[in-house]
Amino acid sequence: MSLTLYTNPMSRGRIARWMLEEIGVPYNVTVLDYGTTMKAPEFLALNPMGKVPVLVHDGKVITECAAICLYLAEAFPDAGMVGQDRAAYYRWILFAAGPLEAAVTNTALGLIPPPDRQQMVGYGSYQAACQTLDHAINHSGYIAGETFSAADVYVGSQIGWGLQFGTIPETPALTTYWDRIKNRPARLRADAADTALMPQ
C-alpha cells in the first residue's frame, strides 16, 4: 500500500495529518512550499489548484480536506472513524466545509452580505452559521453520535482554529467540545509532527 500526504505545516494539511494518525496506518509525507513546489508542474498534475493537502492512495488522488477525512474513514473501516449517525456525519462535516468556512472567511475579509442579499449566500449570515454550529455541538457527545469520528476531526479542527484565532464565538458548548477532543493522542502526535516542520 502506498499512502502519501502532500502538505505544509501552515495549512489545512494539519487536519489531514490528524486524520491519518487516527486511522493508524503508515503514510509518507511530502512537504511543499507556497509559491514554489506547490506551483510546480509535478504537483499541479495532482492538484491543478496548486493547494495542499493532497492525499495519494495507491494512485488515487484526493483533494479537499473534508473529502480526505471522509475517504480515509471509508478506505480503512477497521479504524472505526465513520460516524454512527450517518446522516449527522455527512451533514455536519459538509456544513463545516461549506457554509461555516465561507461565513468565517468572508467575515474575516469584511465581506458581509447586506440583509436583503443574505439569501444569495449559502450561510445566510455569520451569526446564523455560528448559532447552527453551536446547536449541533449542544445536542450530542460528538458531532455524529456518541463515538468520535472523522467528522469530529474536521469539525473539531474548525472549532479549535476558530477559538484560537477568535473567528468563531467562544460559547460553553464549543469550548467544552474542543476541550474533550484536543488532547487525543492522534491529534497531539500530528500537531507535534507539523510543529516540528515550522520555520524556526
Side-chain angles (χ1 to χ4, degrees), residues 68-103:
I68 290 171
C69 290
L70 289 167
Y71 176 85
L72 285 170
E74 297 201 13
F76 299 95
D78 290 347
M81 293 293 288
V82 175
Q84 291 173 311
D85 182 339
R86 196 66 65 90
Y89 174 71
Y90 288 112
R91 177 186 182 184
W92 295 118
I93 196 170
L94 295 175
F95 169 79
L100 180 65
E101 182 165 339

Side-chain angles (χ1 to χ4, degrees), residues 5 12-24 27 69 72 81 148-149 152-158 160 177-178 181-191 194:
L5 174 66
R12 291 171 179 83
R14 284 180 172 261
I15 303 174
R17 191 195 284 266
W18 178 8
M19 184 64 191
L20 283 162
E21 289 293 330
E22 292 284 356
I23 292 296
Y27 62 95
C69 290
L72 285 170
M81 293 293 288
F148 186 87
S149 74
D152 294 290
V153 172
Y154 190 80
V155 179
S157 293
Q158 299 277 26
Y177 171 79
W178 178 239
I181 67 171
K182 69 181 181 182
N183 291 321
R184 289 181 63 84
R187 196 197 80 82
L188 295 178
R189 288 194 305 271
D191 187 61
D194 278 320

Side-chain angles (χ1 to χ4, degrees), residues 142-180:
Y142 293 102
I143 198 68
E146 296 303 317
T147 61
F148 186 87
S149 74
D152 294 290
V153 172
Y154 190 80
V155 179
S157 293
Q158 299 277 26
I159 291 171
W161 286 347
L163 293 174
Q164 180 180 355
F165 296 108
T167 56
I168 62 169
E170 190 173 317
T171 70
L174 297 182
T175 54
T176 298
Y177 171 79
W178 178 239
D179 286 343
R180 186 183 309 135

